[in-house]
Amino acid sequence: MSSYLSGLVLGFSLIMAIGAQNAFVLKQGLLRQHVFAVALVCALSDALLISLGVFGFAHLLSQQEGLIQAMKWFGAIFLFGYGLRSFYQAYRAQEGLHASKQKTASLRQTILLCLTFSWLNPHVYLDTVVLLGSISSQYSNKMAFASGAVSASFIFFFSLAFGARLLEPVFEKPKAWKILDIIIGMIMWLIAVSLIVKA
């Protein structure tokens, strides 16, 4: 139980930072577009990455410097483009949440975007695979530790995705939606810059 709780707490501490993936999940939750699919894809992606880290993939990944560098550049380009899109949406926004809800992306497009946020960000690998993988070596029951970290991901993503609708009254105002898009754009660009600086 102590190993499970340690994994749960550490999993929450790593995942709760506001990043590109979380901002995307929040927006999908507000729009009520493919909410379950988005939360499930994010949680399952985390579960797979955590499992790889805890059960031995961390050491292998740490030796692939060229792959990590390439991912940083691809991730930075993608985040810059998505950030630019968010700024453009903020510029064009004239109505509140109800109007925005009509612009529904297909399930396939949404899942592809979700997978990109989940798998094309080197920070995800460094946090879930390398860091959690390294820390898990301190525990005799690695399965319990991994289960705790995976539980944190499922609880967090489903709470964020479905809990976002509680903010709907706020985002019925065009100004609030505009501010959210600007904040999302800034988050994307800040992460993109951090990836380039560290490349």
Side-chain angles (χ1 to χ4, degrees):
M1 181 57 74
S2 62
S3 296
Y4 176 85
L5 291 176
S6 296
L8 184 71
V9 171
L10 186 58
F12 271 123
S13 67
L14 290 175
I15 203 172
M16 287 182 72
I18 297 176
Q21 187 185 46
N22 293 351
F24 176 72
V25 174
L26 174 64
K27 188 167 184 177
Q28 291 301 121
L30 283 167
L31 294 172
R32 296 200 182 192
Q33 293 181 4
H34 313 300
V35 180
F36 180 82
V38 167
L40 184 62
V41 168
C42 288
L44 288 176
S45 295
D46 257 19
L48 180 56
L49 289 167
I50 290 167
S51 299
L52 289 173
V54 171
F55 299 110
F57 190 67
H59 178 68
L60 179 62
L61 181 66
S62 65
Q63 296 177 327
Q64 303 300 316
E65 186 61 31
L67 176 61
I68 292 175
Q69 288 296 103
M71 287 176 58
K72 284 182 179 180
W73 283 103
F74 279 120
I77 292 168
F78 168 75
L79 291 172
F80 181 81
Y82 195 88
L84 192 62
R85 176 189 173 194
S86 293
F87 286 128
Y88 179 68
Q89 287 177 336
Y91 172 74
R92 289 195 60 191
Q94 299 296 326
E95 300 184 48
L97 183 60
H98 291 309
S100 299
K101 284 169 70 173
Q102 298 172 7
K103 304 170 186 177
T104 304
S106 70
L107 178 61
R108 180 175 177 274
Q109 290 174 323
T110 303
I111 289 177
L112 283 174
L113 262 179
C114 195
L115 287 171
T116 304
F117 280 117
S118 300
W119 291 89
L120 203 58
N121 183 356
H123 288 312
V124 173
Y125 292 87
L126 295 175
D127 285 347
T128 57
V129 179
V130 177
L131 184 56
L132 279 174
S134 301
I135 293 174
S136 69
S137 62
Q138 303 173 18
Y139 297 89
S140 57
N141 193 338
K142 287 188 175 185
M143 181 62 75
F145 179 86
S147 297
V150 168
S151 297
S153 292
F154 272 86
I155 293 170
F156 177 80
F157 282 120
F158 276 91
S159 298
L160 178 63
F162 285 97
R165 64 187 60 185
L166 298 175
L167 298 174
E168 277 189 12
V170 175
F171 287 95
E172 287 177 0
K173 300 177 181 178
K175 186 175 180 180
W177 198 252
K178 193 182 291 278
I179 290 172
L180 177 66
D181 275 325
I182 291 172
I183 291 173
I184 289 175
M186 290 174 63
I187 290 171
M188 302 300 170
W189 278 15
L190 284 171
I191 297 173
V193 169
S194 73
L195 290 176
I196 293 172
V197 169
K198 295 175 182 179

